[in-house]
Amino acid sequence: MTDTDAPAISWPRLEARLAELARIGDTGDGGCSRLALTDADREGRDLVVSWMRELGLRVDVDGIGNVVGTWPADATEAPVLTGSHIDTVRTGGRYDGNLGVLAGLEAVETIITSGLELARPVAVAFFTGEEGSRFAPDMFGSLVYVGGLPLEEALDTVAVDGAVVGDELERIGYVGPLPCPARPPAAFVELHIEQGPVLEAEGDTIGAVTGVQGISWQEVTVTGQSNHAGTTPMDHRHDPAYVAAALAVFVRELADEAGPPQVATVGRVELHPNLVNVVPARATFTVDLRHTDDDALRAAEEAFAARADALAATEGVTVERRSLARFAPVEFDAGMVDRVERTARARGHSVRRMPSGAGHDAQMLARVCPTAMVFTPSVDGISHNPDEHTLPADLEAGAGVLFDVLVQLATEDDPWSDGAGPA
């Protein structure tokens, strides 16, 4: 078989599926809103499952609603798995997560239509609640999939809108019979947009992702004394809004002082009673700290806690901190990362080895099997935004690299002979 005769993905088919899925939850400004386990999420799930079934895949659903489509349908061996998620943030774009699922589906379809003989099965998955926008932590479904969160505890999780995960899974019809944790796959490869500016700024087409930086999410509640905004002297106030604002500034200063790759964000702030002429009684906000080194991440957490306690004492308020999620940095399998880089270069693409600043399902799968990620550039580094965009040529390039890596892992008798694989 010549290079021109080699199987290749169909970009028009992948592009059409991306567009069709993007219509579900369309926000009218180019974006998508499909929060996990909502009606829009159910509609998106039903669409992707229909495509899996049209291809003859065996569709399995587990107790937390993760969906896996396997080829051949009667396969019992551990598959080479790809995929991502199809839930979005409220102001999401059309590629975050969706690209990895639908490019994986396209890769499996190309394997089927090409009649490739496999040494092991291939499968494509989408995991429940990766974004963490409706219920925490993020990477929710894949965490349960690998045994990092007990199923019973996950089902009892309460969403920000008061809904319970187990009830919502029942409501949308995605409680499956497969157990959690699942049997580990032979390997996992995830394609994703970078969601940052590095690849585009450096002129590289493919990112060979070396790992995922550590993530610490906290919810902070500051309780003070509600009072009249006009009659309460400044030196008599116990103002939680002031403490919250000072801590938000400190979070930025902390990241600036530490320097890259430390990042820190206050993403949500709520005041009660939230009135123009009332000193608030309570301020609730979130803090997102990330670093590639776990010791540095812990140092940032400790510095934030110390500043919060000091401000609480000065202002006469109380500060309570609740962990929403805490994941240590993850390093991907070295041989798998090498494979991604070699494969991309063989296709003529420029490649950059890089860590991921965002969390991904791949960091959970890395606990149980050889794992790698493929990044494609994000225009202007924008994501979690309706303006999220990746050029079609870059989307096609990433899907092509994913296809080649999956074929290698699924057809080679010993794909880990070069050192990739479990330690």
Side-chain angles (χ1 to χ4, degrees), residues 79-327:
V80 174
L81 182 63
T82 187
S84 193
H85 63 98
I86 62 169
D87 68 302
T88 74
V89 297
R90 193 174 298 279
T91 55
R94 62 170 52 195
Y95 301 121
D96 177 2
N98 306 304
L99 173 64
V101 175
L102 298 185
L105 188 67
E106 173 60 32
V108 173
E109 179 165 1
T110 304
I111 288 171
I112 294 170
T113 57
S114 301
L116 290 174
E117 294 187 10
L118 306 179
R120 54 194 57 80
V122 291
V124 56
F126 60 85
F127 296 100
T128 297
E130 188 270 356
E131 291 291 3
S133 295
R134 193 177 181 210
F135 42 84
D138 51 347
M139 289 80 70
F140 189 86
S142 54
L143 183 62
V144 177
Y145 184 87
V146 302
L149 177 66
L151 176 60
E152 295 76 13
E153 182 179 337
L155 293 174
D156 288 339
T157 299
V158 179
V160 294
D161 55 12
V164 178
V165 166
D167 294 342
E168 290 295 88
L169 280 167
E170 289 277 5
R171 186 183 67 81
I172 69 170
Y174 273 89
V175 178
L178 263 65
C180 300
R183 183 177 65 162
F188 181 72
V189 187
E190 181 175 1
L191 171 66
H192 209 283
I193 58 171
E194 180 195 347
Q195 300 183 276
V198 176
L199 288 175
E200 183 186 51
E202 299 299 326
D204 292 316
T205 302
I206 296 294
V209 184
T210 55
V212 179
Q213 64 183 356
I215 300 174
S216 169
W217 282 5
Q218 298 178 60
E219 181 183 75
V220 182
T221 301
V222 185
T223 303
Q225 184 179 66
S226 182
N227 219 328
H228 195 291
T231 62
T232 308
M234 301 304 291
D235 60 355
H236 282 64
R237 297 188 180 205
H238 307 286
D239 187 351
Y242 160 71
V243 173
L247 287 172
V249 171
F250 174 73
V251 162
R252 179 60 178 261
E253 291 173 344
L254 185 155
D256 288 343
E257 181 177 345
Q262 178 72 65
V263 292
T265 305
V266 171
R268 174 170 60 86
V269 179
E270 298 172 355
L271 300 178
H272 176 78
N274 202 32
L275 298 172
V276 66
N277 60 345
V278 177
V279 177
R282 185 173 63 251
T284 304
F285 61 100
T286 58
V287 178
D288 179 326
L289 303 172
R290 308 192 188 203
H291 202 287
T292 55
D293 180 82
D294 200 44
D295 289 340
L297 182 60
R298 291 191 185 282
E301 291 170 319
E302 291 168 1
F304 174 79
R307 179 58 64 91
D309 291 343
L311 281 167
T314 301
E315 188 67 11
V317 300
T318 62
V319 175
E320 296 179 354
R321 296 181 295 275
R322 180 169 71 95
S323 176
L324 299 177
R326 214 298 180 171
F327 300 123

Side-chain angles (χ1 to χ4, degrees), residues 63-78:
I64 202 62
N66 299 317
V67 177
V68 180
T70 302
W71 176 263
D74 60 355
T76 58
E77 308 96 314

